[in-house]
């Protein structure tokens, strides 16, 4: 008698949708179990899954930064001239090399330039005097903000470090 009373009151709280919700949860759980089994079979029975199997190449699952993947698209970026410091050739008789900005090597070169810019910004940030009432969340947010600043500067400032790195590796 008490069980029927409890189920009737639960049904009245959820407007009769409790059974439907439970069925959906069971179906989702079964689908998730099937997905895990599929990953195990693809992974030679290992229970671990690397992030490269479930995310875009070179990015971590849950990564918050915008990154450089797909920054340059189109044919006009396949054979572009160097910019910034890489364009300043001391010898006028040397023919300027072209850069394929759509390549993965150039994306990695931009990531290395981004690292240098991030180091520069972090050293500059140390010179700012702050009051001591910042908490962990605020520091984390500032770190993320400065990461995005360095990414935006790398994409738009035209330092030319990525161009120099690319040209030295090609």
């Amino acid at each position: 008698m008490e069980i029927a009373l409890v189920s009737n009151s639960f049904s009245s709280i959820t407007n009769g949708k409790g059974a439907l919700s439970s069925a959906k949860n069971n179906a989702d759980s079964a689908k998730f179990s099937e997905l895990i089994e599929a990953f195990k079979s693809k992974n030679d029975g290992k229970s671990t899954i690397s992030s490269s199997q479930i995310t875009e190449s070179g990015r971590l699952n849950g990564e918050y930064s915008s990154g450089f993947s797909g920054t340059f698209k189109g044919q006009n970026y396949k054979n572009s001239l160097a910019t910034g410091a890489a364009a300043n050739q001391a010898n006028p008789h040397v023919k300027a090399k072209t850069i394929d900005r759509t390549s993965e090597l150039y994306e990695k070169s931009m990531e290395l330039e981004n690292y240098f810019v991030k180091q520069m910004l972090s050293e500059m940030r140390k010179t700012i005097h702050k009051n001591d009432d910042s908490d962990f969340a605020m520091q984390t947010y500032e770190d993320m903000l400065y990461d995005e600043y360095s990414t935006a500067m790398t994409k738009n400032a035209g330092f030319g470090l990525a161009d120099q790195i690319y040209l030295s590796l090609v």
Side-chain angles (χ1 to χ4, degrees):
M1 183 76 172
E2 288 182 28
I3 295 173
L5 182 62
V6 170
S7 68
N8 287 341
S9 63
F10 180 71
S11 181
S12 66
I13 292 172
T14 61
N15 293 330
K17 296 181 183 176
L20 180 62
S21 176
S22 177
K24 285 182 182 179
N25 287 341
N26 290 339
D28 288 343
S29 178
K31 285 180 186 177
F32 184 72
S33 295
E34 289 175 17
L35 181 65
I36 294 296
E37 290 303 318
F39 277 128
K40 283 183 181 178
S41 67
K42 284 183 183 178
N43 211 17
D44 298 328
K46 298 176 186 171
S47 61
T48 58
I49 302 168
S50 69
S51 60
S52 64
Q53 290 176 296
I54 55 176
T55 60
E56 177 184 337
S57 175
R59 295 190 51 101
L60 297 175
N61 190 12
E63 190 172 3
Y64 60 85
S65 66
S66 54
F68 300 102
S69 179
T71 301
F72 298 104
K73 297 177 183 176
Q75 291 297 323
N76 55 336
Y77 293 114
K78 290 268 185 200
N79 293 315
S80 59
L81 295 175
T83 60
N88 298 332
Q89 180 58 260
N91 188 351
H93 302 293
V94 175
K95 183 183 176 194
K97 295 180 183 177
T98 59
I99 296 173
D100 181 8
R101 296 184 194 281
T102 60
S103 70
E104 189 174 343
L105 178 62
Y106 190 75
E107 284 180 18
K108 299 303 178 190
S109 300
M110 286 183 68
E111 287 179 14
L112 188 56
E113 178 181 344
N114 184 40
Y115 176 76
F116 292 137
V117 172
K118 196 180 302 185
Q119 292 300 314
M120 178 186 69
L121 287 177
S122 69
E123 291 301 316
M124 292 170 69
R125 199 170 137 201
K126 289 178 185 177
T127 64
I128 299 172
H129 297 288
K130 297 181 186 178
N131 39 350
D132 294 332
D133 57 333
S134 65
D135 59 350
F136 179 74
M138 186 172 173
Q139 291 172 357
T140 303
Y141 173 74
E142 276 189 4
D143 288 342
M144 292 168 54
L145 179 66
Y146 277 86
D147 286 348
E148 285 301 312
Y149 282 160
S150 66
T151 302
M153 288 175 71
T154 301
K155 287 180 181 178
N156 300 314
F159 293 124
L161 293 173
D163 294 0
Q164 285 181 326
I165 293 166
Y166 177 85
L167 290 173
S168 67
L169 294 175
V170 173

